[in-house]
Amino acid sequence: MTRALQVYTSLWAMQPHDQTGVKLPYAQVVDMVAEAGYHGMALDLGAADIAVVDAVEPLMARAGLTPLLVAFPQTVGELRDVLKRAKDIGAPFVDVIGQVTPLTVEGMIPVIRAWIEMSEQEGVPIQFETHRNCITNDLYTTLTLIDAIPEMRLCADLSHYVVDREFRFPLSERDMALVTRILQRSDSFQGRVASRQQIQLQLDFPQHRKWVDLFRGWWREGFASWRQRNPQGDCVFLCELGPPEYAMTGPDGTEMSNRWDEALQIKAWVEAIWAELEHDTA
């Protein structure tokens, strides 16, 4: 039985990929991602459309990169076509950022169940990303949903909940325990560091060190939890450092850090964490 960490990046994060603001041709993006040692690339249907998937996926296939689809379905039925396309291109799962947002948890439960049933019908797993401005917008609501729906699996992007809840540093034991509950239901993870006020921090600014350390600890905890639940298979970690306005900019509009380099730093961190956990259980 083998387990492996699969580190992806995002096409959205590569347009542009650095402070120059230049958007690279898809073929060049794919070559850069493959040469950097990533296993795959997420294709975000909130930032692009199926035509982009059709253009980029063949390039990825030739480069040996696995595609991952990120869906933003605005109706329950809209997810089905994404699931079918994901199956065609060999995506390991579909990351759902559902835009159907009833006001109550009672209203959300049938929506989540319908999407889970649809994924089972199409034979493509889904994970619900912890993300703002969608059905999992709020930490407390999501915790209630996963209690009500045991089969609901998550993709943990904790940056959204740090901003959503405006967690004070250091987090209380109660708040840390709530995050642990999210990690224990997560089958993949995303790489971005946030603070209570900012969704995406520069990794090497000294004032951000405490938040960087917090997220690295959560990624370790998430990996350890995943490994306890999965004696074999691939654990996907997506480095997703978004362009402006996710990335902070100066008065001239130039980004304040190099996201390509930062993504590679996160990639190195999580690969080291995984290797340490592998060594500890050898």
Side-chain angles (χ1 to χ4, degrees):
M1 293 186 295
T2 60
R3 291 177 292 200
L5 176 66
Q6 302 279 311
V7 184
Y8 288 43
T9 190
S10 167
L11 179 63
W12 171 66
M14 295 290 293
Q15 295 289 329
H17 81 288
D18 65 13
Q19 301 103 314
T20 66
V22 175
K23 293 186 177 182
L24 301 176
Y26 294 147
Q28 188 174 346
V29 168
V30 169
D31 287 345
M32 285 180 64
V33 169
E35 289 168 7
Y38 288 101
H39 295 90
M41 188 163 62
L43 304 175
D44 187 329
L45 294 174
D49 56 24
I50 288 294
V52 172
V53 174
D54 292 342
V56 176
E57 187 276 329
L59 301 172
M60 293 178 61
R62 285 195 289 272
L65 294 172
T66 302
L68 172 65
L69 292 189
V70 183
F72 289 73
Q74 297 190 19
T75 67
V76 171
E78 193 176 295
L79 181 62
R80 191 176 297 276
D81 285 345
V82 180
L83 294 170
K84 291 179 181 295
R85 189 73 181 100
K87 189 172 186 177
D88 289 343
I89 64 178
F93 61 90
V94 171
D95 178 8
V96 178
I97 302 175
Q99 301 298 292
V100 182
T101 54
L103 292 179
T104 65
V105 171
E106 290 75 16
M108 294 175 184
I109 289 172
V111 174
I112 297 293
R113 288 199 182 280
W115 278 331
I116 292 173
E117 181 180 2
M118 194 178 294
S119 89
E120 292 171 348
Q121 291 169 351
E122 298 299 335
V124 179
I126 59 172
Q127 298 173 19
F128 294 89
E129 184 175 335
T130 60
H131 200 291
R132 294 168 299 158
N133 193 31
C134 74
I135 199 166
T136 56
N137 177 81
D138 181 70
L139 170 62
Y140 292 179
T141 298
T142 303
L143 291 170
T144 306
L145 283 171
I146 62 175
D147 284 344
I149 310 172
E151 63 272 33
M152 182 180 179
R153 308 306 301 176
L154 302 177
C155 164
D157 183 346
L158 298 176
S159 66
H160 291 283
Y161 286 165
V162 170
V163 175
D164 167 56
R165 301 309 311 175
E166 286 200 6
F167 284 138
R168 292 185 179 275
F169 190 94
L171 275 67
S172 67
E173 289 186 11
R174 174 183 180 274
D175 288 338
M176 289 294 282
L178 296 179
V179 173
T180 290
R181 288 177 58 194
I182 294 293
L183 293 171
Q184 289 172 342
R185 287 291 288 273
S186 296
D187 288 342
S188 70
F189 308 89
Q190 294 195 11
R192 179 189 302 122
V193 174
S195 70
R196 67 191 304 256
Q197 293 90 2
Q198 302 289 344
I199 189 62
Q200 185 169 292
L201 298 179
Q202 298 82 7
L203 299 182
D204 62 351
F205 287 16
Q207 66 269 31
H208 299 160
R209 175 64 184 271
K210 62 187 180 184
W211 297 103
V212 170
D213 290 345
L214 176 67
F215 274 78
R216 291 176 68 178
W218 278 335
W219 297 333
R220 177 181 292 274
E221 181 182 355
F223 286 171
S225 174
W226 187 94
R227 290 167 63 87
Q228 288 176 348
R229 292 179 275 111
N230 295 276
Q232 60 184 344
D234 295 333
C235 179
V236 171
F237 185 97
L238 171 60
C239 297
E240 195 184 36
L241 299 181
E245 295 175 338
Y246 261 69
M248 285 188 270
T249 57
D252 62 352
T254 301
E255 295 185 45
M256 300 174 71
S257 61
N258 186 302
R259 286 180 293 107
W260 173 254
D261 291 342
E262 288 179 318
L264 292 176
Q265 178 64 79
I266 291 175
K267 179 176 180 289
W269 282 338
V270 298
E271 288 171 341
I273 291 170
W274 184 270
E276 290 165 8
L277 293 172
E278 192 78 13
H279 180 268
D280 291 344
T281 56

